[in-house]
Amino acid sequence: VNYLLFEDPDIKKILEHYRIIWALGHAGSLMSWDMETYMPEEGVQERALASREISLLSQKLLLDEKFVELVEKASVKENLNEYERGVVRVLERRIRIYKKLPPELVGELAKTRVEAQNVWKNARAKNDFSMFKPYLEKAFELARKVAEYLEYDDEPYDALIDLYEEDMRTKMVVQMFDSIIPELKKALDKVLNEENSLYPRTHPLEERKYVREEIEKLNRRILDTLGFPWSRGRLDVSPHPFTDDLGIKDVRITTRYEGFDFKRTVYATIHEFGHALYELQVDERFMATPLAGGVSLGIHESQSRFWENIIGRTMAFVKILSKLIEEASPSLGKIGIEELYSYVNTVKPSLIRVEADELTYNFHILLRFNLERMLLNKEINVDELPEYWNNMMDEYLGIKPKTFSEGVLQDIHWSGIMIGYFPTYSLGNVIAAQIRHYLQKDLGELSEVIMEEKLKLIKEWLKEKIHKYGSLYKPQELLEKSFGEPMNPEYFKEYINEKFVAKKIV
Ligand code: MG
């Protein structure tokens, strides 16, 4: 590797040592991608063990005395360039975190993740909460320990959310929800009470079965159109769609096929494309350094939601989609543009987060955010969780799950001990709308820009404003640098009102 951007001799030494840590991360990424896609079921025991050892080795290398000294020495140097300072910032943060966590806990987390995910998968399939319960208890117990070791400002949640979104605090998330939820409620009530809504509750296409090979082809054609570089990425199948970045030139995405309601797999694919594009457009000179990779989950989710909703659910994109469906799926055939627009924009309270529409989605996050805090603060225990989940669902969206699988067991996060992660989805929604505002300011009305031949302008713009920086700046700093302001929920409210209240076809 030629570290072209890095001249300081200490930084060069730091990067050389870091490359080993990076390589372990690379291997770990491949292992977790494999676990979700091709690993045979009984591989789980050895995978858990290997995963534990790799995490421990990685922590050990990060806390290596000479390495830590080098980073400390570099941190007080005054003549570092911007990139060198970025390297120091990212590493100081990681060292600070890993110094506080005892190796036994780090190993236990890695091992439990693999085991709990495996149990969760089966528990969800069997609708058996009692099977998963002990692991869920352990997950929250471990998360609580992590928070205690890391220390926090007001409540344990502060320490956990900071792991996914640097400098984010619980009260800032509360403020964000306080700002958007009443507006969403108003818009939702309005849409649900309208007759002949542009955004109907249900659509006949939701029942429609599809030929899997045709929709696989459709997803590939969509990715072709969006410009997914197949020489640097793959599309596979997994129970929960995800993106795994092995590096700037190797990004894997997955989708899933349920056999009916094709918008689910199509929009999951577009969502993951958004994540992938972020990683693929990071400055290549950051390769194998701490600056490679998206800076936070909130920024990451802003990219996926941007492509899924802000681009993907517009009339302009629907026109492109309609053409691709006609080409790829003879059995679905020609679907009228207006019909397709309504189909991909149905609005109704539903139980499954990943399938929720733009108006109800954030209620699912608010629910998880509240329950996670209550569990961490020991206001409720895991036994009571399903009951609280169901009642809160009823309070927010007026519906109650009938099974555990469509309630508490639906998401992968708790089995992965990713507690504090959920709010980043709502941050992503809010930031995506902010990006839309600034993109339109620079490139003009989206409806004029979303055309096959112009999509590259959008990608280029995103690269310049967000992607190329990788982890160079903290999330809020990045927004300030690119847009002159930190996260601002006003644009999301504006977007919601424009699309769903004023019913302007966007
Ligand atoms: Mg995502």
Side-chain angles (χ1 to χ4, degrees):
V1 193
N2 262 320
Y3 296 116
L4 294 172
L5 299 167
F6 311 94
E7 283 154 13
D8 183 90
D10 288 325
I11 296 289
K12 278 189 188 278
K13 274 187 226 158
I14 287 171
L15 290 178
E16 259 161 48
H17 178 89
Y18 176 77
R19 203 159 62 226
I20 314 169
I21 301 169
W22 170 83
L24 291 175
H26 185 82
S29 279
L30 188 56
M31 282 160 64
S32 74
W33 172 81
D34 171 73
M35 191 172 99
E36 295 294 322
T37 50
Y38 298 111
M39 186 184 81
E41 206 186 319
E42 288 191 36
V44 66
Q45 195 184 355
E46 285 152 313
R47 187 60 49 91
L49 211 58
S51 171
R52 177 177 175 274
E53 293 308 324
I54 285 186
S55 301
L56 286 172
L57 184 55
S58 174
Q59 181 185 28
K60 205 166 141 188
L61 287 165
L62 190 72
L63 299 183
D64 175 89
E65 235 174 277
K66 282 200 193 106
F67 182 65
V68 173
E69 260 170 40
L70 269 173
V71 174
E72 275 168 7
K73 184 178 162 205
S75 74
V76 290
K77 280 192 165 181
E78 271 166 16
N79 53 350
L80 296 185
N81 70 32
E82 205 172 15
Y83 305 104
E84 293 164 343
R85 281 204 307 274
V87 166
V88 171
R89 178 185 73 78
V90 174
L91 287 177
E92 275 192 307
R93 169 175 153 81
R94 284 181 63 182
I95 289 169
R96 192 168 61 236
I97 290 169
Y98 276 97
K99 247 188 190 165
K100 289 181 174 176
L101 300 177
E104 309 82 69
L105 181 57
V106 170
E108 183 73 5
L109 281 164
K111 183 168 161 281
T112 308
R113 264 184 194 122
V114 176
E115 289 166 353
Q117 270 188 23
N118 193 48
V119 173
W120 164 77
K121 225 179 277 171
N122 291 321
R124 191 175 89 136
K126 291 179 184 149
N127 189 35
D128 187 344
F129 181 67
S130 63
M131 192 175 155
F132 184 53
K133 214 187 78 177
Y135 290 88
L136 193 54
E137 269 160 3
K138 192 166 177 195
F140 273 89
E141 195 186 298
L142 289 173
R144 217 176 281 122
K145 270 191 197 163
V146 169
E148 292 307 326
Y149 280 115
L150 293 180
E151 296 165 292
Y152 45 82
D153 301 331
D154 298 325
E155 58 178 271
Y157 208 83
D158 285 325
L160 299 180
I161 189 168
D162 183 81
L163 291 173
Y164 303 106
E165 195 69 20
E166 191 172 357
D167 289 348
M168 188 51 61
R169 293 293 174 267
T170 312
K171 63 179 174 222
M172 294 155 75
V173 176
V174 171
Q175 271 168 16
M176 187 260 309
F177 279 126
D178 283 348
S179 165
I180 65 169
I181 288 288
E183 214 83 4
L184 284 167
K185 217 168 236 164
K186 259 191 282 172
L188 182 61
D189 282 344
K190 182 163 188 292
V191 169
L192 293 178
N193 289 316
E194 267 167 4
E195 269 179 60
N196 303 321
S197 173
L198 195 54
Y199 310 107
R201 279 177 185 246
T202 56
H203 194 282
L205 282 172
E206 290 175 330
E207 308 289 324
R208 186 85 167 264
K209 292 203 175 69
Y210 58 72
V211 179
R212 175 158 161 173
E213 290 69 32
E214 291 183 1
I215 302 303
E216 283 177 351
K217 187 174 166 200
L218 174 62
N219 279 335
R220 289 186 176 276
R221 288 291 293 119
I222 290 169
L223 290 175
D224 288 339
T225 306
L226 295 174
F228 185 73
W230 294 102
S231 59
R232 288 172 159 211
R234 290 182 57 90
L235 172 67
D236 291 273
V237 176
S238 69
H240 246 240
F242 69 94
T243 298
D244 198 338
D245 61 307
L246 295 173
I248 299 169
K249 296 188 178 186
D250 186 353
V251 180
R252 321 266 173 113
I253 64 176
T254 68
T255 191
R256 65 176 166 201
Y257 297 97
E258 289 138 314
F260 66 101
D261 196 7
F262 68 90
K263 71 178 172 189
R264 297 191 195 184
T265 175
V266 161
Y267 283 86
T269 306
I270 299 173
H271 178 102
E272 301 309 331
F273 166 80
H275 283 303
L277 187 67
Y278 186 6
E279 296 293 338
L280 290 160
Q281 297 209 109
V282 169
D283 190 329
E284 284 179 20
R285 294 169 300 179
F286 292 179
M287 193 176 285
T289 76
L291 301 182
V295 67
S296 75
L297 290 179
I299 302 291
H300 236 299
E301 213 58 38
S302 78
Q303 296 309 296
S304 53
R305 300 294 276 178
F306 179 81
W307 285 94
E308 178 190 358
N309 291 335
I310 305 275
I311 301 281
R313 293 185 209 272
T314 57
M315 190 61 96
F317 188 81
V318 160
K319 281 181 193 157
I320 299 174
L321 183 60
S322 152
K323 207 182 82 199
L324 296 176
I325 293 171
E326 215 183 319
E327 282 171 27
S329 176
S331 54
L332 285 174
K334 196 169 172 62
I335 303 170
I337 310 286
E338 275 81 23
E339 194 188 355
L340 195 55
Y341 183 79
S342 284
Y343 167 56
V344 305
N345 280 297
T346 54
V347 169
K348 69 158 183 303
S350 63
L351 295 167
I352 306 294
R353 173 186 63 87
V354 294
E355 284 153 17
D357 55 75
E358 290 177 90
L359 288 183
T360 56
Y361 187 91
N362 293 291
F363 290 91
H364 291 265
I365 303 303
L366 179 63
L367 173 142
R368 287 154 177 78
F369 170 64
N370 286 336
L371 291 175
E372 284 185 339
R373 286 171 73 200
M374 288 161 87
L375 281 162
L376 281 172
N377 297 339
K378 294 190 170 170
E379 291 160 36
I380 61 172
N381 61 45
V382 166
D383 281 306
E384 300 168 303
L385 184 63
E387 198 195 324
Y388 273 86
W389 178 293
N390 294 356
N391 290 337
M392 215 176 264
M393 200 67 197
D394 194 24
E395 187 195 328
Y396 291 168
L397 290 173
I399 45 173
K400 267 191 182 188
K402 290 191 183 67
T403 66
F404 295 118
S405 305
E406 57 185 23
V408 279
L409 286 181
Q410 68 180 268
D411 292 308
I412 195 170
H413 305 65
W414 290 340
S415 68
I417 326 184
M418 294 181 272
I419 293 158
Y421 181 126
F422 280 118
T424 65
Y425 289 114
S426 288
L427 300 176
N429 287 331
V430 163
I431 297 167
Q434 190 167 357
I435 290 172
R436 171 181 181 263
H437 170 87
Y438 285 102
L439 184 132
Q440 295 202 119
K441 224 167 133 184
D442 287 355
L443 301 183
E445 285 277 309
L446 263 183
S447 55
E448 303 290 321
V449 194
I450 304 176
M451 283 185 266
E452 224 177 307
E453 62 279 9
K454 285 191 179 175
L455 288 172
K456 58 177 181 300
L457 293 179
I458 300 178
K459 291 195 296 182
E460 197 48 44
W461 188 89
L462 289 172
K463 180 180 179 176
E464 288 307 309
K465 297 290 176 185
I466 310 265
H467 299 171
K468 71 173 186 188
Y469 297 109
S471 296
L472 185 57
Y473 305 112
K474 292 180 179 191
Q476 295 300 318
E477 277 174 17
L478 173 66
L479 295 178
E480 283 198 45
K481 186 181 158 60
S482 291
F483 307 127
E485 62 175 348
M487 182 180 81
N488 180 350
E490 291 309 311
Y491 303 108
F492 178 71
K493 293 193 272 185
E494 229 172 77
Y495 167 67
I496 291 297
N497 284 323
E498 191 182 324
K499 177 167 179 179
F500 294 98
V501 179
K503 287 203 280 185
K504 179 181 170 202
I505 294 181
V506 295

